[in-house]
């Protein structure tokens, strides 16, 4: 895939970049390696200052960076600003918390292991390669890089080929904040050249956020090289609505959760599983609200839904809808590729989806909602868990028995009760099953790329 900025609202190529050649990649790997040797002996206080300074720079530059995100991947300007603000908040969060999270613990009874003292300490691993997607070009990188840098690791970023300007912005941000040159470097390379970087002996570990095939490929190479990997992959999150739910709030949140980021988030609600008693009413109101969304130019404040990020992304989602339609599913809203330029796809609501249809099993990475009718709580849980994914979920109910039933029974990394799935720096984030391995954010996220060393002293 060419490394270039293409405006999804028009389909026009804006800027093309030459990939880094082998010498430049070698230079950047060596720089991050050399920077690690410096960074690992700095203390938390200095790294905190640098991280806070980088956060302040990003806040100052929010309008320019937001415009860049909208240009490169089509999210609305308002959502682009929110992404940048959240990224800066998370940088400050880790600046403040890293030391606390990385303070090891001492055995209360060292005699039990025949020692005078026995304790643990967290130490950085080294250069970590991050392979990242385009859907949140700043946030996906920052949520990994802020804790990694605060722990004393250095970062090599291979960003998605359609967001090179976001990659280049991040390339200098942390150094401008004060981190040593080389603490964070971007590699402008295609996916086909990632393997060699994973295998490089100066690279200690790898994290990938993206699709399942990419994750499997990277993790198998890292496994062969005996390197730690974290995978944040796809999701097909269930959104369960039970009869006791506040239906107005559930419908409003369902619409937002399906369409935020133009429907291209791993934790968008994708499958709406509604109890039979309220199914028809939910479907009616949900369909009405989805069809009322204003699709159009993402730079305009009145726009709810911008274009999809890539032409192939739009083809993929339309194929899923067309396959379901051909096999007898009902399309209540949307489902047609609009006339005109840009890669727009309307908010779409589909019901009657059966396991033979691709839409049942595959991730719908665009604003397409699938609505299922469940006989009871047990049936809702069965449908929710009948997927290879296990990222996040939402349950709408006022009944505490339902809360216990679903929070214990759902095979997922997170459950939001009467709310929308979102990520918070305070909470662990990640999936089970084919949605990934490991956790980002919280104390767990910063510890992923650390060596937990045991010390025994006689
Ligand atoms: P993708 O095609 O897997 O791309 C993600 C990154 O991996 C890009 O940098 C891509 O580079 C690179 N890549 C692709 N194939 C590779 C390979 N074989 N070896 C090495 N690198 C490879 O994913 P996407 O379509 O951009 O992103 C959408 C997917 O990401 C969805 O499934 C979504 O759910 C998932 N996602 C998950 C999370 C999470 O936290 N769980 C968050 C966001 C997105 P190129 O661009 O050069 O191909």
């Amino acid at each position: 895939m060419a490394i270039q900025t293409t405006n999804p609202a028009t389909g026009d190529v804006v800027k093309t970049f030459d990939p880094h050649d082998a010498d430049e990649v070698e230079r950047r790997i060596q720089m991050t390696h050399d920077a690690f040797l410096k960074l690992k002996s700095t203390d938390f206080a200095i790294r905190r200052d640098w991280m806070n300074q980088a956060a302040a720079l990003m806040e100052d530059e929010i309008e320019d960076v937001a415009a860049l995100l909208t240009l490169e991947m089509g999210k609305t300007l308002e959502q682009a600003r929110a992404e940048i603000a959240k990224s800066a908040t998370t940088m400050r969060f880790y600046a403040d918390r890293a030391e606390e999270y990385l303070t090891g613990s001492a055995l209360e009874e060292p005699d039990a292991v025949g020692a005078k003292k026995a304790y643990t300490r967290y130490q950085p691993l080294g250069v970590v390669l991050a392979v990242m997607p385009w859907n949140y070009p700043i946030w996906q990188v920052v949520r990994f890089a802020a804790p990694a840098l605060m722990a004393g690791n250095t970062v090599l970023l291979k960003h998605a080929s359609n967001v090179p300007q976001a990659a280049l912005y991040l390339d200098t941000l942390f150094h401008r904040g004060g981190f040593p040159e080389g603490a964070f470097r971007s590699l402008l390379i295609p996916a086909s050249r990632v393997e060699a970087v994973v295998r490089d002996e100066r690279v200690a570990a790898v994290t990938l956020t993206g699709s399942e095939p990419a994750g499997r490929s990277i993790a198998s190479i890292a496994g062969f090289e005996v390197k730690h990997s974290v995978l944040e992959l796809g999701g097909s999150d269930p959104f369960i609505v039970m009869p006791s739910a506040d239906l107005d709030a559930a419908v409003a949140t369902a619409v937002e959760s399906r369409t935020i980021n133009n429907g291209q988030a791993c934790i968008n609600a994708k499958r709406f599983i509604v109890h039979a008693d309220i199914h028809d009413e939910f479907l009616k109101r949900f369909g009405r609200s989805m069809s009322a969304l204003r699709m159009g130019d993402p730079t305009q404040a009145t726009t709810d839904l911008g274009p999809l990020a890539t032409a192939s992304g739009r083809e993929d989602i339309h194929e899923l809808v067309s396959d379901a339609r051909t096999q007898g599913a009902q399309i209540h809203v949307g489902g047609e590729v609009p006339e005109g330029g840009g890669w727009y796809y309307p908010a779409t609501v589909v019901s009657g989806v059966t396991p033979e249809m691709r839409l049942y099993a595959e991730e719908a990475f665009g604003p397409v909602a699938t609505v299922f009718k469940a006989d009871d709580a047990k049936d809702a849980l069965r449908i929710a868990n009948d997927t290879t994914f296990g990222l996040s979920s939402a349950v709408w109910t006022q009944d505490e028995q339902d809360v216990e039933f679903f929070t214990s029974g759902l095979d997922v990394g997170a459950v939001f009760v009467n709310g929308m799935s979102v990520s918070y720096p305070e909470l662990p984030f990640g999936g089970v099953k084919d949605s990934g391995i490991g956790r980002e954010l919280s104390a767990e996220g910063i510890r992923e790329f650390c060596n937990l060393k045991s010390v025994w002293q006689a």
Side-chain angles (χ1 to χ4, degrees), residues 132 134-135 140 143 158 161 209-211 214 232-234 266 363:
M132 290 288 155
W134 46 262
N135 63 341
Q140 300 290 3
R143 79 178 184 187
K158 183 279 183 261
S161 293
T209 300
S211 62
E232 297 289 353
L233 308 179
C266 51
E363 179 182 21

